[in-house]
Amino acid sequence: MKIAIVGCGMAGMSAAFDLVNAGHTVEIFEAAGEPGGLAGGFKEPEWKWSLEKFYHHWFLSDKDMFGLIKELGWEDHVVVKQPKTVMYHDGRFYPFDSIVSAALYPGLGWGLNKIRFGLATLYIRLTSNWKPMEHTTVDAWMRKYAGETAYNTMWLPMLDGKFGEKYARQVNMAWMWARLHSRTTRLATFEGGFQAFADSLAAELQKRGVIIHFNTGVDSIRQGKDGQLTLTAVDGTHTFERCMVTTSPALMARMAPDLPKEYLQGLLDLKSIGAVVMVLAIKHPLSKEGYYWFNLPKSAGFPFLALVEHTNFLPKENYNGDHLLYCGDYLDTDHEYFQLSQEELLQRFIPALQRVNPEFKPDWVRKAWLFRTKYAQPVPLVDHSKNIPDIKTPIPGLFFASMSQVYPWDRGTNFAVEIGRRTARMIMTATQI
Ligand SMILES: Cc1cc2nc3c(=O)[nH]c(=O)nc-3n(C[C@H](O)[C@H](O)[C@H](O)COP(=O)(O)OP(=O)(O)OC[C@H]3O[C@@H](n4cnc5c(N)ncnc54)[C@H](O)[C@@H]3O)c2cc1C
């Protein structure tokens, strides 16, 4: 079969891997100039490794990703570390990378609060029965089982930061289950960075016969009377028997306007938020204690949610001695951070960095980069499973696989691999055209 894939991110490339291995003719259309999508990176000429535009790591529980890596024979290129995670409370940071350290965290209060927090977390770690949890919100479940104190000091600030006031109280409990159930504190990456992984995978696909059209955004996908699917891209039209799209639901709706109204509406009704992330190369470490991941409750008044000191995960020698820091936030796409210039944002962020380390000076910043994406985090509302669009769309031969469909799992490259390979199987078994 002749199959087109729109998007050369992890989902598109994983599907291409299985399809080409099964003997099909595969062409990938990618709007950007390189593979990797949201997990892609950039590199200064003097750096040995690339750096992800948006902070990325793998959890050791990411079995689909490690399964693919094993099939490729690249296990030796996986780098595993156990960096330090901390939580802010009252002007200080406390360890936060185990149930024990979380239980000792003073923000939780003492006595019954801690016991309830511990039991609720333990239950989530042990149960696999997430389905009933999607009928309720994190807000309602956590208040009931973990208690008001734990909810207000731990979970609400996290939800606020991740989903904003608009959605924080509406996110369903299955999403929280998926985050807490299997994630590990040991983290991993690929030698050279995620971009090196994406480049290697793209090169491997090309070696096996996949054609990748970079800088070739697809504008529309339409089905002719003969059942063939015609993609109109910046370089003209291309015709295929099957097509898999891996973009955001909104882009899919724009690209395939002939989809039935109900399916289109389903795509447009899905909620998601964007992300704005600034990367700083600084001359000295921000955290003297070597912290990697700083949890910052929105209520503490930091101008960003995520503070990640990447060079406390991986050595600064990979980056010619630069200390690398991410300051990021998940935001509605009409938030002013999507309009402000890099310099304006930097001026807002600097005082916050001085709160973390009073010695921090603006002239520590050697260079800054700003990355924004409108589709960063799907928002799963109550009973979300009913709203997930089918991978097999009503247009015969047209398939759609995005971050919004990996539910109950939170988005991640592991789940992009899983949905990519699942879609490849569906493409190969679908009989209709
Ligand atoms: C801030 C942030 C932090 C994250 N942290 C982690 C993490 O720590 N670990 C982890 O595993 N995952 C993380 N993720 C999630 C991870 O990046 C995604 O789940 C994964 O990359 C999604 O892959 P995908 O192939 O489904 O989509 P994408 O990577 O979005 O790929 C879609 C591709 O389609 C292309 N495209 C779009 N429109 C068109 C068009 N019209 N024509 C042609 N091509 C088009 C895009 O350029 C893109 O390359 C994070 C994401 C964000 C935003």
Side-chain angles (χ1 to χ4, degrees):
M1 268 188 305
K2 201 176 163 213
I3 303 161
I5 296 176
V6 180
C8 197
M10 294 302 165
M13 285 198 283
S14 308
F17 182 69
D18 287 346
L19 292 169
V20 78
N21 287 344
H24 299 292
T25 301
V26 184
E27 293 186 33
I28 304 182
F29 294 82
E30 169 54 55
E34 62 286 312
L38 280 174
F42 67 102
K43 193 166 171 291
E44 286 278 88
E46 60 276 15
W47 291 354
K48 287 191 208 133
W49 284 41
S50 63
L51 178 71
E52 294 67 47
K53 295 174 190 163
F54 304 98
Y55 38 82
H56 271 71
H57 50 240
W58 290 316
F59 298 97
L60 291 192
S61 49
D62 285 347
K63 65 177 177 28
D64 290 282
M65 178 55 82
F66 292 124
L68 177 64
I69 289 174
K70 192 166 177 209
E71 279 174 55
L72 288 158
W74 297 347
E75 299 103 305
D76 289 351
H77 299 279
V78 174
V79 178
V80 179
K81 301 268 180 182
Q82 185 147 19
K84 295 180 190 169
T85 295
V86 287
M87 177 77 109
Y88 179 87
H89 176 66
D90 250 354
R92 286 189 55 191
F93 288 97
Y94 295 87
F96 209 77
D97 26 33
S98 66
I99 291 194
V100 175
S101 65
L104 291 171
Y105 170 66
L108 278 176
W110 301 100
L112 192 59
N113 288 327
K114 277 205 195 299
I115 295 169
R116 289 183 70 181
F117 165 80
L119 289 176
T121 312
L122 196 65
Y123 174 73
I124 295 167
R125 295 284 297 185
L126 294 178
T127 186
S128 300
N129 191 18
W130 62 270
K131 204 83 200 3
M133 294 188 195
E134 76 155 359
H135 305 319
T136 184
T137 59
V138 180
D139 188 82
W141 197 97
M142 283 294 187
R143 277 181 202 285
K144 186 167 174 193
Y145 295 107
E148 290 286 335
T149 308
Y151 176 69
N152 288 323
T153 51
M154 302 244 337
W155 308 119
L156 182 58
M158 177 189 151
L159 292 168
D160 255 346
K162 192 105 185 176
F163 296 103
E165 268 173 43
K166 189 164 160 194
Y167 296 121
R169 288 164 197 270
Q170 297 180 44
V171 171
N172 84 42
M173 185 60 199
W175 176 85
M176 183 63 94
W177 171 85
R179 282 179 71 89
L180 296 178
H181 183 64
S182 56
R183 286 191 170 184
T184 57
T185 51
R186 291 178 75 209
L187 306 178
T189 189
F190 198 76
E191 204 173 71
F194 273 55
Q195 186 63 56
F197 176 66
D199 290 342
S200 305
L201 186 51
E204 184 64 33
L205 292 174
Q206 286 166 324
K207 204 169 89 190
R208 290 171 193 234
V210 175
I211 295 171
I212 308 182
H213 305 265
F214 288 112
N215 300 307
T216 310
V218 173
D219 292 328
S220 73
I221 304 166
R222 300 209 118 104
Q223 189 155 49
K225 288 206 176 77
D226 56 359
Q228 303 273 313
L229 294 162
T230 298
L231 274 61
T232 304
V234 286
D235 63 344
T237 58
H238 306 257
T239 300
F240 295 88
E241 290 159 77
R242 304 271 196 273
C243 175
M244 166 184 179
V245 178
T246 67
T247 66
S248 69
L251 281 178
M252 172 64 172
R254 203 180 316 151
M255 240 181 285
D258 298 339
L259 280 164
K261 248 195 192 140
E262 205 181 316
Y263 191 91
L264 279 180
Q265 198 53 51
L267 293 176
L268 298 173
D269 285 346
L270 289 168
K271 309 282 183 254
S272 64
I273 48 174
V276 174
V277 171
M278 184 175 286
V279 182
L280 300 177
I282 55 176
K283 294 176 192 160
H284 310 285
L286 181 74
S287 154
K288 289 183 189 151
E289 299 84 357
Y291 300 148
Y292 166 58
W293 195 276
F294 301 73
N295 286 301
L296 304 174
K298 213 110 226 161
S299 55
F302 286 88
F304 40 74
L305 162 83
L307 179 62
V308 182
E309 191 157 359
H310 181 78
T311 36
N312 286 333
F313 172 37
L314 296 168
K316 65 180 189 311
E317 288 68 29
N318 295 353
Y319 312 95
N320 199 35
D322 277 332
H323 295 266
L324 297 170
L325 200 61
Y326 290 99
C327 307
D329 217 337
Y330 295 93
L331 303 159
D332 245 347
T333 51
D334 57 4
H335 191 278
E336 59 166 347
Y337 280 14
F338 275 91
Q339 266 77 51
L340 291 178
S341 70
Q342 177 174 305
E343 190 49 37
E344 286 168 323
L345 268 177
L346 183 60
Q347 291 316 317
R348 300 224 186 161
F349 289 178
I350 281 173
L353 299 176
Q354 286 165 332
R355 273 179 77 183
V356 176
N357 179 351
E359 288 169 24
F360 178 88
K361 304 252 174 347
D363 68 5
W364 284 19
V365 178
R366 186 186 72 74
K367 196 163 177 183
W369 300 262
L370 182 62
F371 300 102
R372 306 188 237 229
T373 174
K374 292 191 167 174
Y375 180 55
Q377 173 70 53
V379 181
L381 304 178
V382 165
D383 290 330
H384 181 65
S385 55
K386 288 190 198 135
N387 304 328
I388 297 174
D390 286 340
I391 291 177
K392 191 172 165 189
T393 77
I395 294 184
L398 180 60
F399 296 77
F400 176 59
S402 69
M403 292 195 292
S404 298
Q405 293 153 284
V406 300
Y407 183 75
W409 308 107
D410 196 14
R411 51 101 170 110
T413 51
N414 177 65
F415 303 106
V417 169
E418 189 280 326
I419 200 170
R421 304 190 86 173
R422 181 153 44 108
T423 307
R425 286 195 296 277
M426 292 171 79
I427 290 174
M428 289 188 276
T429 52
T431 49
Q432 96 293 47
I433 179 136

